[in-house]
Amino acid sequence: MVAVTAQYPFGIFPHFHGNSRLLSPETEFCTVNFPSRVEYSRFILHPKGHVAEVHSLPHVGDFTGENEATPILDAIESPMSLKNLSTKELKQLANEVRSELSFIMAKAQKPSRSSLTAVELSVAIHHVFNAPMDKILWDVAEQTYAHKLLTGRRQIMQTLGEQNGHPVAAPDFESEFDPFGSGHGCNSISAGLGLAVARDFKGKRDRVVAVINNETTMAGQVYEAMSNAGYLDSNMIVILNDSQHSLHPKLEEASKTPINALSSTLSKLQSSKLFRRFRELAKVLTKKIGKGMYEWAAKVDEYARGMIGPPGSTLFEELGLYYIGPVDGHNIEDLVCVLNEVASLDSMGPVLVHVITKEELEVGDNQMNAVANEIMEGASSSNTKPCGTRTYSDCFVEALISEAERHKDIVAVHAGMGMEPSLHLLKNVFAEKFFDVGMAEQHAVTFAAGLARGGLKPFCIIPSAFLQRAYDQVIHDVDRQKVPVRFIITSAGLVGSDGPMHCGAFDIAFMSCLPNMIVMAPSDEVELSHMVATAALIDDRPVCFRYPRGALSVMEKSFGGGIPIEVGRGRILTEGKDIALLGYGSMVQNCLRAQLLLSKFGIEVTVADARFCKPLDIKLLRHLCKNHSFLVTVEEGSIGGFASHVAQFLSLDGQLDAGIKWRPITLPDNYIEQASPKEQLAVAGLTGNHIAATALSLLGRTREALLLMC
C-alpha cells in the first residue's frame, strides 16, 4: 500500500508503506501548491488503481513566528511614497513586500506563490502610475496582495484568513485604489475599457491599467474585451502577468517564452516613443501612397514582429492591441523603463505589455524556512488518526473511481480556478479520461455535451460559483437538447474564508428551473456515493448534484460503490408527531441536530431527507402534510430554490388550504461576508439551534425559542 500525504501549503511529501505496483520505483515527486480553499489531504491507494480511502488531515495550529525588519515598507503610507525611491530602493522594497507576504500567507496557511509573482510588477506600477487618479484593475484577487500592502492596507492584510479578518480572495470595495472588483477573473479588461471610454466622454486624461494573468486568458471574455478595445481604440494598458502556467499534461514539453538581453532590448525599443511615432508615421505614409501599399506594409510589420516576438504575440496585434514584450517581471529596472514609456504615450490606442514571472520564485531567507519547518513539524506531530478528516470531495473521488470500474465510458471534465487535492488524485487515476480546461467553464459544458453525444458518460466537475458563467451553455447545449451530462457542483453553499466571491448560493435555483434537469443533493457521504451511481445510469437527460466544501458531518470509514436510488424518491430518517423537518442536502445533518435539541423540550420531530429538488417526492410531501400540522424546509441555498418548488406543490395540491403551516429556511437575501463556516451558518440562520428555534416559534413556544438562541 502507498500513502501519499499532501502537506499544504508547502508541497507533497510521499510516505511509502510496503511495495506498490501502482507507483513505480522511478516515480519522482515534486512540490505542488494546492488551492487556498483546500486543507491538507491524505490519499491511501490500493495497488489495483482504485481509491481505498481519501482523507484530509487536521488543521495545523496557528503560526506564531515573527517577521523580519521591513524599514522601507514601514515608511510606505500610500503609492506616492514610491515616487522618489531609487531603483536600488525599489528592489529592496520588493524584497520586503515579498517577505511580508510570505509571512502573512504562511501564518494564514494559504499558498503564496500566485501572490508573489506580482510583487515587482506591483512596485513598478505604483512607482510609474498615479493611483487612485490612474485606475488600476486586477483580474485575480490573489495577485492584489502586494498592491494592497502598497496602498495603505498593511494592517488589514495582517488579518488575512482570520475570523472576521480580511477575506482571502476579495476586492476592497471601500478603497479608492480598487476601482472595480476582481470577481472570478477575466473581467478587468472589460471593466477597464468601460472606464477608459467614460474617461474619454468626460474629457479626462487619467490612465487605465488592467492586469491579467495567463490563467484568465483561458476565458473567452478576455478576448471579447480585447477585440472591442481594438475596435474602439481607446487608450488603455493591458499587462499580461504570465507566470507560465500550462494545462499541458507534460509541463516540460509546454512552450516557454524566453527572457534574455535581446528580448529586454526589443521590449524597450517597442515601447519607446520614437519607435511608436515612426510606426504611426509609416502607417500614414503608406495609406497616402495607396495601391495596396498599406496592406503590404502591415503584413511585413506583422511578420517581422511575429519572428522576433514569442509564439502567439501576433494574436494580440490581430485583436487590435499593440504588443510589447516579453519583459522580465522580476527585473524592476526593465519594468519601470517599459511602463514609463507606455505611460508617456498619448492617443496610441490599447497596448499589451507581456510580463514573464515565475511562480517558483521563493523567499530565500532563513526566517521563511523556519515558517515552513514549524508548520511541517506541527503537521507531523499532530495526533492524527489513520482515518483523518474526510471531505465530500474525497468521498466523491472515491465513489467515481469505483463507479468507473463498472462503467468504462465514464470520463471527467473539470473547469474553474485550480483543483482540490482529491481531484488531482482523480486526474492521476483517470489519466487520459480526465480533462482539465482551466477557467473555460462555457467550453467545459459544451465539450462535455459533445462527449455525451459521442457515447461517453461525462461527469462535469465545476464549483458552484464558476458554473454561473456557463449558464447559457447549460440551457441551450445541454438541457434543451436533453444531453445526459452529469454536473457535479462543488463548493456549494457557504465557503468560509472565501466569503461571497466563491459562495455557491444560487445553483439550486438556477439549475432546478430548467425543464429537463434532474437536481439532487446528498446528505452524507453514503448518499453521495449513491448519487454518483444514480447519475452514471441516467442516459436520457442531464442530472446534477451539489456538495459543500469542508469536512463531513458523518464520519465513516471507506465503503464500497454506491447503489442507484429511485429518481424523485426521498426518505424519512426519524418519525415524530409534532413537527416535520424536511432537509435538502447537507442541511439534513442540521435538521438532525435540531431534532435532538427539540427532543429535550418533549417535542417529537420527523426528519426527512428530500434528496431531490427536481423532481420532488410528492408522496413524501403528502405524507408529511397528512401526518403533521407543521412543516419546515431547510436548504443552504438562495431564495428561489428548493423551498420555492415545495411552495409551488403545496399551493397547487391544496395542502396550504388544508391547514398545513409551513416555514422555509434558506440563505438570507444578502451576501454573507468572510467568517468561519460555523459563524457563516449562524449569520444565515441555518444552525441546528436556529432550526429548532424556528420550530418552537411555529409551535407557539416563543419564549423557549428565545431561550434557545441565547
Side-chain angles (χ1 to χ4, degrees):
M1 180 180 289
V2 178
V4 181
T5 303
Q7 301 287 5
Y8 172 86
F10 292 95
I12 293 180
F13 297 85
H15 301 282
F16 300 92
H17 302 285
N19 297 322
S20 171
R21 300 201 312 261
L22 181 63
L23 300 177
S24 65
E26 295 80 12
T27 302
E28 295 183 359
F29 291 85
C30 60
T31 299
V32 178
N33 275 15
F34 291 135
S36 61
R37 49 186 169 278
V38 186
E39 296 183 355
Y40 316 91
S41 290
R42 181 182 183 92
F43 312 132
I44 301 179
L45 289 77
H46 279 258
K48 292 183 179 180
H50 67 273
V51 179
E53 297 181 31
V54 185
H55 298 299
S56 295
L57 298 180
H59 192 68
V60 181
D62 293 336
F63 171 68
T64 58
E66 294 183 359
N67 195 10
E68 65 178 14
T70 54
I72 299 181
L73 180 59
D74 293 343
I76 302 297
E77 297 181 356
S78 72
M80 290 301 296
S81 304
L82 279 71
K83 298 301 179 183
N84 296 323
L85 296 181
S86 65
T87 301
K88 182 179 179 180
E89 290 171 326
L90 289 174
K91 291 178 181 178
Q92 177 61 31
L93 174 61
N95 290 333
E96 292 179 11
V97 169
R98 186 178 301 280
S99 175
E100 179 80 1
L101 277 180
S102 298
F103 176 79
I104 292 172
M105 300 302 282
K107 187 174 67 172
Q109 295 186 353
K110 302 297 179 184
S112 61
R113 292 188 173 185
S114 178
S115 58
L116 293 181
T117 62
V119 169
E120 286 83 2
L121 179 58
S122 299
V123 170
I125 286 174
H126 284 296
H127 177 72
V128 172
F129 297 97
N130 299 308
M133 181 179 296
D134 292 334
K135 306 298 187 292
I136 301 171
L137 297 85
W138 301 80
D139 238 10
V140 179
E142 285 80 359
Q143 293 193 8
T144 66
Y145 295 156
H147 158 75
K148 291 183 178 183
L149 285 178
L150 298 172
T151 52
R153 288 172 281 179
R154 186 179 183 183
Q155 187 174 359
I156 298 175
M157 285 294 295
Q158 295 286 351
T159 66
L160 186 71
E162 297 178 3
Q163 293 183 7
N164 301 316
H166 190 75
V168 173
D172 188 348
F173 294 112
E174 297 180 358
S175 172
E176 59 181 348
F177 296 101
D178 292 337
F180 202 86
S182 56
H184 291 150
C186 79
N187 66 349
S188 64
I189 302 179
S190 298
L193 181 59
L195 289 170
V197 171
R199 171 204 62 200
D200 295 341
F201 269 108
K202 294 190 174 184
K204 297 181 179 179
R205 295 179 60 83
D206 53 278
R207 289 160 293 192
V208 177
V209 181
V211 184
I212 65 174
N213 71 358
N214 57 328
E215 273 191 289
T216 58
T217 55
M218 300 174 196
Q221 183 180 352
V222 169
Y223 301 101
E224 295 169 6
M226 286 184 184
S227 178
N228 193 217
Y231 173 76
L232 295 176
D233 204 35
S234 291
N235 289 342
M236 71 175 295
I237 301 162
V238 178
I239 300 177
L240 170 57
N241 178 19
D242 184 359
S243 55
Q244 302 196 357
H245 264 308
S246 177
L247 293 177
H248 199 288
K250 296 181 179 179
L251 291 177
E252 67 275 6
E253 296 179 8
S255 61
K256 300 288 186 181
T257 303
I259 290 292
N260 48 45
L262 177 60
S263 64
S264 176
T265 302
L266 290 174
S267 297
K268 292 176 182 177
L269 174 64
Q270 289 173 316
S271 63
S272 68
K273 185 180 296 186
L274 180 62
F275 181 80
R276 291 290 302 274
R277 296 294 184 191
F278 173 77
R279 190 168 180 263
E280 291 298 316
L281 178 61
K283 287 183 179 181
V284 173
L285 290 176
T286 52
K287 283 183 179 180
K288 288 185 177 181
I289 294 173
K291 299 181 180 179
M293 181 61 70
Y294 175 77
E295 289 76 10
W296 180 84
K299 288 182 179 180
V300 171
D301 178 61
E302 180 182 340
Y303 291 147
R305 290 166 61 77
M307 289 178 65
I308 64 174
S313 60
T314 56
L315 169 64
F316 303 111
E317 293 278 345
E318 291 291 336
L319 291 171
L321 280 74
Y322 179 72
Y323 175 87
I324 298 172
V327 182
D328 186 351
H330 299 296
N331 188 316
I332 289 282
E333 192 172 354
D334 284 357
L335 284 170
V336 170
C337 177
V338 171
L339 292 180
N340 265 325
E341 291 287 353
V342 172
S344 66
L345 298 174
D346 294 321
S347 303
M348 286 298 190
V351 175
L352 184 134
V353 181
H354 187 183
V355 174
I356 303 296
T357 57
K358 294 181 180 179
E359 278 204 351
E360 61 267 24
L361 196 65
E362 296 287 355
V363 178
D365 56 90
N366 294 330
Q367 180 261 339
M368 285 317 302
N369 290 333
V371 174
N373 291 334
E374 180 167 337
I375 289 180
M376 294 312 302
E377 287 172 6
S380 61
S381 63
S382 59
N383 187 21
T384 61
K385 298 179 181 180
C387 287
T389 302
R390 306 181 72 206
T391 68
Y392 276 94
S393 185
D394 298 336
C395 296
F396 163 71
V397 169
E398 198 175 310
L400 186 60
I401 293 175
S402 176
E403 201 64 31
E405 292 288 327
R406 294 192 289 270
H407 300 278
K408 301 301 181 183
D409 289 334
I410 287 180
V411 295
V413 179
H414 175 268
M417 290 183 67
M419 280 195 294
E420 300 177 25
S422 52
L423 294 181
H424 279 281
L425 174 63
L426 180 65
K427 180 179 180 180
N428 293 335
V429 174
F430 268 39
E432 71 277 1
K433 289 187 176 181
F434 188 97
F435 305 93
D436 180 23
V437 303
M439 290 181 63
E441 296 84 4
Q442 294 174 314
H443 163 67
V445 171
T446 306
F447 173 58
L451 291 171
R453 282 291 193 224
L456 298 178
K457 294 177 177 287
F459 280 71
C460 190
I461 308 164
I462 305 179
S464 175
F466 288 89
L467 184 59
Q468 296 162 185
R469 305 204 304 199
Y471 193 50
D472 183 71
Q473 284 70 28
V474 172
I475 295 173
H476 293 288
D477 297 341
V478 177
D479 190 75
R480 193 169 62 84
Q481 302 183 50
K482 298 185 72 172
V483 181
V485 174
R486 299 142 187 92
F487 292 101
I488 289 74
I489 305 173
T490 66
S491 296
L494 301 170
V495 290
S497 61
D498 278 343
M501 182 177 291
H502 294 288
C503 178
F506 310 110
D507 58 271
I508 303 175
F510 69 66
M511 294 299 275
S512 63
C513 68
L514 301 178
N516 297 315
M517 187 72 65
I518 295 174
V519 183
M520 51 188 178
S523 58
D524 55 40
E525 73 270 34
V526 177
E527 286 291 296
L528 176 58
S529 69
H530 293 339
M531 290 183 181
V532 170
T534 304
L537 293 179
I538 296 174
D539 288 320
D540 61 342
R541 64 183 59 199
V543 58
C544 72
F545 59 85
R546 68 183 332 235
Y547 61 78
R549 183 188 298 181
L552 290 161
S553 298
V554 180
M555 301 300 297
E556 293 188 10
K557 291 186 177 181
S558 180
F559 47 87
I563 301 172
I565 57 181
E566 181 182 346
V567 174
R569 177 59 59 88
R571 59 177 183 151
I572 293 178
L573 303 179
T574 63
E575 285 206 75
K577 60 181 177 62
D578 295 321
I579 190 170
L581 303 179
L582 178 59
Y584 181 66
S586 61
M587 285 298 101
V588 171
Q589 302 303 325
N590 284 3
C591 288
L592 290 171
R593 295 186 181 96
Q595 183 260 335
L596 290 175
L597 290 170
L598 291 169
S599 66
K600 297 177 181 179
F601 292 94
I603 300 172
E604 297 182 22
V605 181
T606 294
V607 176
D609 178 3
R611 281 178 168 169
F612 292 86
C613 176
K614 188 174 185 177
L616 282 173
D617 188 342
I618 294 175
K619 291 183 179 179
L620 175 62
L621 279 170
R622 285 174 175 159
H623 173 79
L624 295 177
C625 291
K626 179 181 178 181
N627 294 282
H628 304 83
S629 299
F630 307 96
L631 173 65
V632 178
T633 58
V634 188
E635 63 183 303
E636 193 177 353
S638 67
I639 298 170
F642 174 68
S644 294
H645 288 265
V646 172
Q648 177 86 353
F649 169 75
L650 293 180
S651 60
L652 293 178
D653 199 51
Q655 297 295 336
L656 296 177
D657 300 332
I660 185 72
K661 294 182 179 179
W662 165 69
R663 294 292 184 272
I665 301 179
T666 68
L667 288 176
D669 194 23
N670 58 268
Y671 296 102
I672 297 178
E673 297 301 327
Q674 174 217 13
S676 69
K678 288 184 179 179
E679 287 179 323
Q680 285 190 325
L681 284 174
V683 171
L686 287 171
T687 66
N689 283 47
H690 285 88
I691 297 169
T694 300
L696 287 167
S697 178
L698 190 58
L699 291 167
R701 300 168 68 167
T702 308
R703 180 180 178 82
E704 291 166 313
L706 292 172
L707 290 173
L708 192 61
M709 296 308 299
C710 291

